Structures are given as structure tokens and as C-alpha cells.
Amino acid sequence: MDFNMKKLASDAGIFFTRAVQFTEEKFGQAEKTELDAHFENLLARADSTKNWTERILRQTEVLLQPNPRKTLLMVSEAEKRLGAAERDFIHTASISFLTPLRNFLEGDWKTISKERRLLQNRRLDLDACKARLKKAKAAEAKASTVPDFQETRPRNYILSASASALWNDEVDKAEQELRVAQTEFDRQAEVTRLLLEGISSTHVNHLRCLHEFIKSQTTYYAQCYRHMLDLQKQLGSAQGAIFPGTFVGTTEPASPPLSSTSPTTAAATMPLVPTVASLAPPGEAALCLEEVAPSASGTRKARVLYDYEAADSSELALLADELITVYSLPGMDPDWLIGERGNKKGKVPVTYLELLS
């Protein structure tokens, strides 16, 4: 291979000069050009944007990993519908959320990083030129000191004058290099500043993508909720055919209970009512709630974790964060309790409660 030795030697010299300048700055032995506070704030803002974008991307990818639903293995059609809804959600989230984040990290951020590295190199070159000019001026001042003709030999005087002229030329050369380095640094600083100020538009785009992700997530959980209601109704009908005396509720909420609290929080954290719980043993459905009394084991207080809309008149509707009194009855399904709030009474799912001691 044909190497350009002159260019290689020049690049090695520049790299060595930058390394020396950087090392001397770290040990406090050389001056460093400080950027203004606004510029430093833009650099910190860009770094923070990059770090948070990576964290959001990693955590979202972990969230979207498909999870097997062992509890629905015997209900193939319901599983199929849930799987289709999940695939649509992942596809939508990938297009509207993950892809823009990747494009920022692989496109705009790489450009910003490249220009920042160039700015760092230009700054090191500038500070090295400043240090070289400072040393040349100090040497020139020392060489230009007028000697005492009575104590100095003529030969030494001639050498001193020659050295002064050489250092004068060195000062002129160092000043010219400093002007060139300052021009290149200012130009690169302006380019980098413009790119960093463009981070504001990146924030707007990230926020828009987040809104799209929340919208698709809300749609996904609403679909899952509807599929589980349909499954619960089908299982209830099947149980009613086996046990004719079993009471099966036919009413269901007009819409998923996602409006009383934040849509994303409620959809992401709300557990499904145990499907087996709705299949009450024969005889329990005929229970008159007005005549139910607490068991001998006593009552407990419970805090409601999520909103719950009663599926039928035997259940008690719940609001998040309210306190109710709960107790169990002999032979009652362990996934359910009797809840009381004022003069209202009904069955409540255990998964929606935090029992207090």
C-alpha cells in the first residue's frame, strides 16, 4: 500500500500536540478556552437528551417483549384475539415511537457527536497556539534585553541580536497560526451551537411520539379488556348451562373503566377480574346481600387500588383510593370478599384491594 508519509507524520504531530495540550489542561499546567454558560448548558442538555432517549428505548423494548398467557391456554380463540391486538400494538409502537427514537440516536445524535469532537480538536489546537505564542513572546523579551557593552564581548552581542531576530520571526509565525486556529474554532463553534439548539425540535418530536405511544397503548388495553369481558361472558354462559340454578350477570360496562383515572396508568396497572370468580357455586347467587352479616372472624379495612365497575347488582362498584370494610363468608370464592361502604354492600374482587392490618 502507498502511504503518504508526510501526511501521516503531520497527523501524528497534530495528535501529539492535542494530547499534550489535553494532559497539561488536566494537570492545570496550561490555559483552557472556556465556553460560555449558554453553550455549556446546550452541551449538557444534548447529553441528557441522548441518555434519556437510550433509557426510554431500552425500557420500552423490554416492555414490548411478548409474555405467554398461561391462564388462557384452554381458550384458544380468546388468546388468538389477544395475540392479534398485541401484534398490532407492537407494530404501531415500533413505527410511531421506537423508530423515531432510533433515528435520532443513529442520525442526528451521531452528527452532533461528530461536530462536538471536531470542536474539541479545534479548541485544543487553539489553546496549543496560545501556549506557543506565549512562550515565543517570553523568549523574545528575554533575547531582546540590551547587554552591557563594557562587560559583554562583541561576539556575544551579535549572537544575542541574531537570537532576538529569530524569536521575533517565531512570534510573527505563532501569531499567524493563532489567527488561523481562532478562525477555525469560531466557525466550528457556530456549527456546533446551531446543532445543539436544534435539540428543542427533538424534544417536541419525542413528546409527539410519546403521545402516539400512549394512544396506541390505551387502545391496546381497551381491546384486551373487551376480549376478556367477552371471554368472561362465554365462560359464564357455559357454567349456567351446566348448573341451571347459577345466576349469571348479563349486564356489562358500556366502555372500559379507563376514564376516571389517568388512561395510561389505569390501563397499564388494572388487573383483570378472575374469570373463575364470576362462576359462583350454585346457591351463592341466590344470596340476599341485605341479610348478609359479617362472619365471626370479624371485618377488616381495605384500600381500593383501582376503579371497578360492578358487572351486576350483586357486586359493589369501587373508586380508587377509597376505604371500605370487607369480610369473607363461609364457602365463598377466595378471590372475592363482601365489601361495605355506608349502606351499600356487594361482592368485590380481592385483586383490586390492599388489605390493611
Side-chain angles (χ1 to χ4, degrees):
M1 297 177 63
D2 184 17
F3 290 96
N4 189 337
M5 297 303 298
K6 182 178 294 186
K7 184 176 183 304
L8 183 62
S10 176
D11 292 343
I14 293 175
F15 175 80
F16 180 77
T17 301
R18 291 172 178 171
V20 171
Q21 176 67 26
F22 183 83
T23 304
E24 290 181 350
E25 288 177 1
K26 288 297 182 182
F27 287 96
Q29 299 176 356
E31 296 181 359
K32 176 181 178 180
T33 301
E34 298 293 338
L35 302 173
D36 60 83
H38 178 61
F39 202 103
E40 292 287 352
N41 184 54
L42 289 174
L43 291 174
R45 190 182 182 193
D47 288 333
S48 179
T49 300
K50 180 253 185 183
N51 293 334
W52 278 104
T53 300
E54 288 180 338
R55 291 182 61 182
I56 292 173
L57 180 62
R58 289 195 303 268
Q59 295 179 9
T60 305
E61 287 177 335
V62 171
L63 174 66
L64 297 181
Q65 293 299 320
N67 295 317
R69 295 173 173 85
K70 296 181 179 180
T71 57
L72 299 178
L73 290 177
M74 298 181 62
V75 192
S76 59
E77 285 301 321
E79 179 67 19
K80 182 178 179 180
R81 291 194 295 269
L82 289 171
E86 184 178 28
R87 287 193 298 273
D88 292 341
F89 168 56
I90 293 175
H91 178 71
T92 303
S94 176
I95 293 176
S96 63
F97 188 64
L98 298 181
T99 298
L101 298 186
R102 288 196 187 96
N103 290 341
F104 168 73
L105 293 176
E106 297 173 2
D108 295 348
W109 180 253
K110 285 187 176 180
T111 302
I112 292 175
S113 299
K114 177 183 177 182
E115 297 301 329
R116 287 178 62 178
R117 289 193 297 270
L118 289 176
L119 178 64
Q120 175 75 349
N121 292 337
R122 295 291 182 266
R123 186 193 62 76
L124 292 172
D125 294 342
L126 175 63
D127 291 338
C129 289
K130 289 179 179 179
R132 191 157 48 246
L133 177 60
K134 185 176 181 180
K135 292 178 182 179
K137 285 185 176 180
E140 180 190 30
K142 183 177 180 179
S144 62
T145 303
V146 180
D148 189 344
F149 292 101
Q150 296 179 354
E151 298 180 359
T152 305
R153 297 179 181 179
R155 181 173 176 274
N156 291 340
Y157 177 76
I158 294 174
L159 291 176
S160 177
S162 176
S164 178
L166 290 175
W167 282 113
N168 188 31
D169 293 340
E170 186 67 22
V171 169
D172 293 340
K173 181 180 178 181
E175 289 177 344
Q176 176 63 25
E177 292 178 350
L178 177 60
R179 285 192 292 270
V180 173
Q182 185 68 55
T183 301
E184 293 179 351
F185 173 78
D186 293 340
R187 184 185 302 113
Q188 185 60 38
E190 183 62 25
V191 171
T192 308
R193 183 191 301 272
L194 292 175
L195 289 174
L196 293 174
E197 289 176 345
I199 289 292
S200 297
S201 62
T202 300
H203 290 175
V204 174
N205 187 52
H206 279 19
L207 184 60
R208 180 184 60 80
C209 293
L210 182 59
H211 287 166
E212 292 294 329
F213 177 72
I214 293 174
K215 181 179 178 181
S216 62
Q217 189 180 41
T218 304
T219 302
Y220 166 65
Y221 283 113
Q223 291 175 345
C224 291
Y225 179 82
R226 176 58 56 186
H227 294 330
M228 293 306 299
L229 282 180
D230 293 341
L231 176 61
Q232 187 179 35
K233 184 177 179 180
Q234 294 171 7
L235 292 175
S237 300
Q239 184 71 6
I242 298 174
F243 302 104
T246 303
F247 175 79
V248 179
T250 58
T251 59
E252 57 184 36
S255 61
L258 300 177
S259 58
S260 58
T261 57
S262 174
T264 305
T265 304
T269 59
M270 184 184 66
L272 292 170
V273 180
T275 56
V276 180
S278 63
L279 309 179
E284 183 181 331
L287 183 66
C288 182
L289 293 177
E290 287 74 9
E291 299 177 358
V292 169
S295 63
S297 59
T299 62
R300 296 181 64 179
K301 290 292 185 181
R303 185 175 68 88
V304 179
L305 299 176
Y306 322 98
D307 290 354
Y308 176 71
E309 188 169 351
D312 54 61
S313 59
S314 67
E315 297 180 3
L316 179 66
L318 303 175
L319 294 177
D321 295 328
E322 69 174 340
L323 292 177
I324 63 173
T325 302
V326 296
Y327 52 88
S328 179
L329 295 177
M332 189 174 181
D333 192 301
D335 291 329
W336 292 79
L337 294 171
I338 298 297
E340 292 185 0
R341 182 181 60 244
N343 58 353
K344 295 183 179 180
K345 184 184 302 183
K347 294 188 301 180
V348 293
V350 175
T351 52
Y352 279 65
L353 304 175
E354 177 188 1
L355 298 180
L356 306 177
S357 58

Short mmCIF file of all heavy atoms in Angstrom, two decimals, residues 257-263 265-267 269-271 302-310 316-324 341 348-349 351-354:
data_model
loop_
_atom_site.label_atom_id
_atom_site.label_comp_id
_atom_site.label_asym_id
_atom_site.label_seq_id
_atom_site.Cartn_x
_atom_site.Cartn_y
_atom_site.Cartn_z
N PRO A 257 -63.23 0.76 31.96
CA PRO A 257 -63.11 1.76 33.04
C PRO A 257 -61.75 2.43 32.99
O PRO A 257 -60.89 2.20 33.81
CB PRO A 257 -63.28 0.91 34.31
CG PRO A 257 -62.76 -0.44 33.91
CD PRO A 257 -63.15 -0.61 32.48
N LEU A 258 -61.58 3.31 31.98
CA LEU A 258 -60.28 3.96 31.83
C LEU A 258 -60.38 5.47 31.99
O LEU A 258 -59.40 6.17 31.81
CB LEU A 258 -59.69 3.66 30.44
CG LEU A 258 -59.45 2.19 30.12
CD1 LEU A 258 -58.96 2.07 28.68
CD2 LEU A 258 -58.46 1.57 31.07
N SER A 259 -61.59 5.99 32.28
CA SER A 259 -61.77 7.43 32.25
C SER A 259 -61.65 8.09 33.61
O SER A 259 -61.35 9.26 33.70
CB SER A 259 -63.13 7.78 31.64
OG SER A 259 -64.16 7.17 32.40
N SER A 260 -61.91 7.38 34.69
CA SER A 260 -61.91 8.00 36.00
C SER A 260 -60.52 8.33 36.49
O SER A 260 -60.34 9.18 37.33
CB SER A 260 -62.63 7.10 37.01
OG SER A 260 -62.00 5.84 37.06
N THR A 261 -59.51 7.64 35.96
CA THR A 261 -58.14 7.94 36.33
C THR A 261 -57.36 8.16 35.05
O THR A 261 -57.90 8.15 33.96
CB THR A 261 -57.50 6.79 37.13
OG1 THR A 261 -57.60 5.59 36.34
CG2 THR A 261 -58.25 6.58 38.44
N SER A 262 -56.08 8.37 35.19
CA SER A 262 -55.23 8.57 34.01
C SER A 262 -55.32 7.37 33.11
O SER A 262 -55.13 6.23 33.55
CB SER A 262 -53.77 8.78 34.46
OG SER A 262 -52.93 8.83 33.34
N PRO A 263 -55.58 7.54 31.78
CA PRO A 263 -55.78 6.40 30.89
C PRO A 263 -54.61 5.45 30.88
O PRO A 263 -54.78 4.24 30.95
CB PRO A 263 -55.98 7.07 29.51
CG PRO A 263 -56.47 8.45 29.82
CD PRO A 263 -55.80 8.82 31.11
N THR A 265 -52.15 5.06 33.17
CA THR A 265 -51.90 4.40 34.45
C THR A 265 -52.93 3.32 34.72
O THR A 265 -52.59 2.20 35.10
CB THR A 265 -51.94 5.44 35.58
OG1 THR A 265 -51.00 6.45 35.29
CG2 THR A 265 -51.63 4.80 36.91
N ALA A 266 -54.22 3.65 34.50
CA ALA A 266 -55.26 2.68 34.78
C ALA A 266 -55.14 1.48 33.86
O ALA A 266 -55.27 0.34 34.28
CB ALA A 266 -56.64 3.34 34.63
N ALA A 267 -54.87 1.74 32.56
CA ALA A 267 -54.80 0.63 31.61
C ALA A 267 -53.59 -0.23 31.87
O ALA A 267 -53.63 -1.45 31.69
CB ALA A 267 -54.76 1.18 30.19
N THR A 269 -52.01 -0.76 34.76
CA THR A 269 -51.89 -1.41 36.06
C THR A 269 -53.13 -2.17 36.49
O THR A 269 -53.07 -2.93 37.44
CB THR A 269 -51.57 -0.37 37.14
OG1 THR A 269 -52.61 0.60 37.17
CG2 THR A 269 -50.25 0.31 36.85
N MET A 270 -54.28 -1.95 35.82
CA MET A 270 -55.53 -2.55 36.28
C MET A 270 -55.53 -4.05 36.02
O MET A 270 -55.39 -4.47 34.87
CB MET A 270 -56.70 -1.91 35.54
CG MET A 270 -58.05 -2.41 36.03
SD MET A 270 -59.39 -1.71 35.08
CE MET A 270 -59.07 -2.45 33.49
N PRO A 271 -55.68 -4.90 37.04
CA PRO A 271 -55.74 -6.34 36.82
C PRO A 271 -57.12 -6.75 36.34
O PRO A 271 -58.10 -6.06 36.56
CB PRO A 271 -55.46 -6.92 38.21
CG PRO A 271 -55.99 -5.87 39.14
CD PRO A 271 -55.76 -4.54 38.46
N ALA A 302 -59.92 -2.08 53.99
CA ALA A 302 -59.15 -2.30 52.76
C ALA A 302 -59.15 -1.02 51.95
O ALA A 302 -60.14 -0.27 51.93
CB ALA A 302 -59.74 -3.45 51.95
N ARG A 303 -58.03 -0.76 51.31
CA ARG A 303 -57.91 0.40 50.42
C ARG A 303 -58.06 -0.08 48.97
O ARG A 303 -57.44 -1.07 48.57
CB ARG A 303 -56.55 1.08 50.59
CG ARG A 303 -56.42 2.36 49.77
CD ARG A 303 -55.11 3.07 50.07
NE ARG A 303 -53.98 2.29 49.58
CZ ARG A 303 -53.49 2.39 48.35
NH1 ARG A 303 -54.04 3.23 47.48
NH2 ARG A 303 -52.44 1.67 47.99
N VAL A 304 -58.87 0.62 48.20
CA VAL A 304 -59.13 0.25 46.81
C VAL A 304 -57.96 0.73 45.94
O VAL A 304 -57.58 1.90 45.99
CB VAL A 304 -60.45 0.86 46.31
CG1 VAL A 304 -60.68 0.47 44.85
CG2 VAL A 304 -61.59 0.38 47.18
N LEU A 305 -57.39 -0.19 45.17
CA LEU A 305 -56.25 0.14 44.32
C LEU A 305 -56.66 0.72 42.97
O LEU A 305 -55.97 1.59 42.43
CB LEU A 305 -55.38 -1.11 44.10
CG LEU A 305 -54.78 -1.75 45.36
CD1 LEU A 305 -54.03 -3.03 44.99
CD2 LEU A 305 -53.85 -0.78 46.07
N TYR A 306 -57.73 0.24 42.39
CA TYR A 306 -58.15 0.65 41.06
C TYR A 306 -59.67 0.82 41.04
O TYR A 306 -60.40 0.22 41.83
CB TYR A 306 -57.77 -0.39 39.99
CG TYR A 306 -56.43 -1.03 40.21
CD1 TYR A 306 -56.32 -2.28 40.81
CD2 TYR A 306 -55.25 -0.39 39.82
CE1 TYR A 306 -55.09 -2.87 41.02
CE2 TYR A 306 -54.02 -0.96 40.02
CZ TYR A 306 -53.93 -2.21 40.62
OH TYR A 306 -52.72 -2.78 40.82
N ASP A 307 -60.14 1.62 40.10
CA ASP A 307 -61.58 1.75 39.89
C ASP A 307 -62.14 0.41 39.41
O ASP A 307 -61.50 -0.31 38.63
CB ASP A 307 -61.88 2.81 38.85
CG ASP A 307 -61.58 4.21 39.38
OD1 ASP A 307 -61.27 4.32 40.58
OD2 ASP A 307 -61.65 5.17 38.60
N TYR A 308 -63.34 0.08 39.87
CA TYR A 308 -64.00 -1.15 39.43
C TYR A 308 -65.49 -0.87 39.25
O TYR A 308 -66.14 -0.31 40.13
CB TYR A 308 -63.80 -2.27 40.46
CG TYR A 308 -64.54 -3.54 40.12
CD1 TYR A 308 -64.11 -4.34 39.06
CD2 TYR A 308 -65.67 -3.92 40.83
CE1 TYR A 308 -64.80 -5.50 38.73
CE2 TYR A 308 -66.36 -5.08 40.51
CZ TYR A 308 -65.93 -5.86 39.46
OH TYR A 308 -66.60 -7.01 39.12
N GLU A 309 -66.01 -1.24 38.08
CA GLU A 309 -67.42 -1.04 37.79
C GLU A 309 -68.14 -2.37 37.96
O GLU A 309 -67.76 -3.38 37.36
CB GLU A 309 -67.60 -0.51 36.36
CG GLU A 309 -69.02 -0.10 36.05
CD GLU A 309 -69.11 0.66 34.73
OE1 GLU A 309 -68.05 1.00 34.18
OE2 GLU A 309 -70.23 0.88 34.26
N ALA A 310 -69.16 -2.37 38.77
CA ALA A 310 -69.88 -3.61 39.08
C ALA A 310 -70.50 -4.19 37.82
O ALA A 310 -71.09 -3.48 37.00
CB ALA A 310 -70.97 -3.34 40.12
N LEU A 316 -70.22 -4.65 44.17
CA LEU A 316 -70.11 -3.28 44.67
C LEU A 316 -69.11 -2.52 43.81
O LEU A 316 -67.97 -2.96 43.65
CB LEU A 316 -69.66 -3.28 46.14
CG LEU A 316 -69.47 -1.91 46.80
CD1 LEU A 316 -70.81 -1.18 46.91
CD2 LEU A 316 -68.83 -2.08 48.18
N ALA A 317 -69.53 -1.41 43.23
CA ALA A 317 -68.62 -0.58 42.44
C ALA A 317 -67.60 0.09 43.36
O ALA A 317 -67.92 0.49 44.48
CB ALA A 317 -69.40 0.47 41.66
N LEU A 318 -66.36 0.24 42.86
CA LEU A 318 -65.27 0.78 43.67
C LEU A 318 -64.63 1.98 42.99
O LEU A 318 -64.62 2.08 41.76
CB LEU A 318 -64.20 -0.30 43.89
CG LEU A 318 -64.66 -1.61 44.55
CD1 LEU A 318 -63.51 -2.59 44.59
CD2 LEU A 318 -65.20 -1.35 45.95
N LEU A 319 -64.08 2.86 43.81
CA LEU A 319 -63.31 4.00 43.33
C LEU A 319 -61.91 3.92 43.93
O LEU A 319 -61.74 3.57 45.09
CB LEU A 319 -63.97 5.32 43.74
CG LEU A 319 -65.33 5.64 43.11
CD1 LEU A 319 -65.89 6.94 43.67
CD2 LEU A 319 -65.21 5.72 41.59
N ALA A 320 -60.91 4.22 43.13
CA ALA A 320 -59.52 4.12 43.58
C ALA A 320 -59.29 4.98 44.81
O ALA A 320 -59.81 6.09 44.93
CB ALA A 320 -58.57 4.52 42.45
N ASP A 321 -58.50 4.44 45.76
CA ASP A 321 -58.03 5.13 46.97
C ASP A 321 -59.10 5.25 48.07
O ASP A 321 -58.81 5.81 49.13
CB ASP A 321 -57.47 6.52 46.65
CG ASP A 321 -56.22 6.44 45.81
OD1 ASP A 321 -55.47 5.45 45.96
OD2 ASP A 321 -56.00 7.34 45.00
N GLU A 322 -60.32 4.77 47.86
CA GLU A 322 -61.31 4.86 48.94
C GLU A 322 -61.11 3.68 49.90
O GLU A 322 -60.53 2.65 49.55
CB GLU A 322 -62.72 4.84 48.36
CG GLU A 322 -63.14 3.52 47.75
CD GLU A 322 -64.61 3.52 47.34
OE1 GLU A 322 -65.35 4.37 47.86
OE2 GLU A 322 -65.00 2.68 46.52
N LEU A 323 -61.59 3.85 51.13
CA LEU A 323 -61.50 2.82 52.15
C LEU A 323 -62.87 2.17 52.32
O LEU A 323 -63.89 2.86 52.42
CB LEU A 323 -61.04 3.42 53.48
CG LEU A 323 -59.60 3.92 53.54
CD1 LEU A 323 -59.31 4.54 54.90
CD2 LEU A 323 -58.62 2.80 53.26
N ILE A 324 -62.89 0.84 52.36
CA ILE A 324 -64.14 0.10 52.56
C ILE A 324 -63.91 -0.97 53.63
O ILE A 324 -62.76 -1.29 53.97
CB ILE A 324 -64.64 -0.56 51.26
CG1 ILE A 324 -63.63 -1.60 50.77
CG2 ILE A 324 -64.90 0.49 50.19
CD1 ILE A 324 -64.12 -2.41 49.58
N ARG A 341 -69.72 -0.15 52.07
CA ARG A 341 -69.41 1.28 52.07
C ARG A 341 -70.70 2.02 52.40
O ARG A 341 -71.61 2.11 51.58
CB ARG A 341 -68.88 1.73 50.70
CG ARG A 341 -68.49 3.22 50.67
CD ARG A 341 -67.98 3.67 49.32
NE ARG A 341 -69.00 3.47 48.28
CZ ARG A 341 -68.87 2.62 47.27
NH1 ARG A 341 -67.79 1.90 47.15
NH2 ARG A 341 -69.84 2.50 46.38
N VAL A 348 -66.74 -7.85 46.02
CA VAL A 348 -65.63 -7.09 45.44
C VAL A 348 -64.47 -8.06 45.18
O VAL A 348 -64.23 -8.98 45.95
CB VAL A 348 -65.17 -5.95 46.38
CG1 VAL A 348 -66.25 -4.89 46.50
CG2 VAL A 348 -64.79 -6.49 47.75
N PRO A 349 -63.72 -7.85 44.08
CA PRO A 349 -62.57 -8.72 43.78
C PRO A 349 -61.37 -8.39 44.67
O PRO A 349 -61.03 -7.22 44.87
CB PRO A 349 -62.27 -8.41 42.31
CG PRO A 349 -62.78 -7.04 42.09
CD PRO A 349 -63.96 -6.87 43.00
N THR A 351 -58.24 -8.80 44.05
CA THR A 351 -57.12 -8.22 43.32
C THR A 351 -57.18 -6.71 43.21
O THR A 351 -56.19 -6.07 42.87
CB THR A 351 -57.04 -8.81 41.90
OG1 THR A 351 -58.33 -8.68 41.27
CG2 THR A 351 -56.66 -10.28 41.94
N TYR A 352 -58.35 -6.12 43.51
CA TYR A 352 -58.49 -4.67 43.45
C TYR A 352 -58.27 -4.02 44.81
O TYR A 352 -58.43 -2.81 44.95
CB TYR A 352 -59.89 -4.30 42.95
CG TYR A 352 -60.05 -4.38 41.45
CD1 TYR A 352 -59.94 -5.60 40.78
CD2 TYR A 352 -60.30 -3.24 40.70
CE1 TYR A 352 -60.08 -5.66 39.40
CE2 TYR A 352 -60.46 -3.30 39.32
CZ TYR A 352 -60.34 -4.53 38.68
OH TYR A 352 -60.47 -4.58 37.31
N LEU A 353 -57.90 -4.80 45.82
CA LEU A 353 -57.84 -4.29 47.19
C LEU A 353 -56.46 -4.45 47.79
O LEU A 353 -55.69 -5.36 47.43
CB LEU A 353 -58.86 -5.03 48.09
CG LEU A 353 -60.32 -5.02 47.64
CD1 LEU A 353 -61.14 -5.90 48.57
CD2 LEU A 353 -60.86 -3.59 47.60
N GLU A 354 -56.15 -3.56 48.72
CA GLU A 354 -54.98 -3.69 49.60
C GLU A 354 -55.52 -3.82 51.02
O GLU A 354 -56.01 -2.84 51.60
CB GLU A 354 -54.05 -2.50 49.47
CG GLU A 354 -52.86 -2.57 50.41
CD GLU A 354 -52.04 -1.29 50.42
OE1 GLU A 354 -52.41 -0.35 49.70
OE2 GLU A 354 -51.04 -1.27 51.15
#
